[in-house]
Amino acid sequence: MANAASGMAVHDDCKLKFLELKAKRTYRFIVFKIEEKQKQVVVEKLGEPADSYEAFTASLPADECRYAVYDFDFVTDENCQKSRIIFIAWSPDTSKVRSKMIYASSKDRFKRELDGIQVELQATDPTEMGLDVIRSRAT
């Protein structure tokens, strides 16, 4: 099990799309999926810049694990416009044990490929990644 999980490759598209989100703000969010047969992490969904946080959370499956990054815009108490790139490891309680193990053991290696993540969040149900949680972790 450990050998299979630690051997997860990261598709070049994952890094390219992340750079576009970070540098050009081409996307609001990216959802990543592990393709077990190809033993690699791939891009599953790209969110348009105008997409809402609700559109992002709706794109995460209720019973399958995913990785995601979200470009969160907010205004500070000093009235400054800021943004944080948030990495979310989505691992719902209802997902398969094997899937949870693969995602958990591949997470750190995958995260290292995405240079520029500012906040990390682990969520097992939607309440753990509500907008209020995101806002409190980002500021």
Side-chain angles (χ1 to χ4, degrees), residues 5-6 8-15 18 30-34 40-43 66-69 87-89 102-115 117:
S6 59
M8 234 18 105
V10 177
H11 194 281
D12 287 343
D13 214 28
C14 295
K15 293 179 259 193
F18 179 75
I30 307 170
V31 178
F32 304 96
K33 172 184 185 174
I34 290 179
Q40 69 176 347
V41 182
V42 297
V43 172
R66 292 292 186 270
Y67 300 128
V69 288
F87 177 88
I88 298 171
I102 291 171
Y103 274 82
S105 61
S106 305
K107 181 182 77 171
D108 288 336
R109 177 167 186 260
F110 177 60
K111 239 178 56 197
R112 278 196 299 273
E113 300 283 342
L114 308 179
D115 185 38
I117 289 169

Side-chain angles (χ1 to χ4, degrees), residues 59-101:
S59 66
L60 295 171
D63 56 359
E64 289 179 38
C65 300
R66 292 292 186 270
Y67 300 128
V69 288
Y70 185 81
D71 187 6
F72 180 63
D73 290 325
F74 62 99
V75 177
T76 66
D77 293 338
E78 294 82 37
N79 215 21
C80 294
Q81 186 71 41
K82 289 207 170 181
S83 140
R84 292 265 186 275
I85 296 175
I86 302 184
F87 177 88
I88 298 171
W90 172 244
S91 184
D93 291 330
T94 52
S95 59
K96 295 185 177 109
V97 172
R98 175 179 164 77
S99 178
K100 288 182 200 178
M101 288 171 63

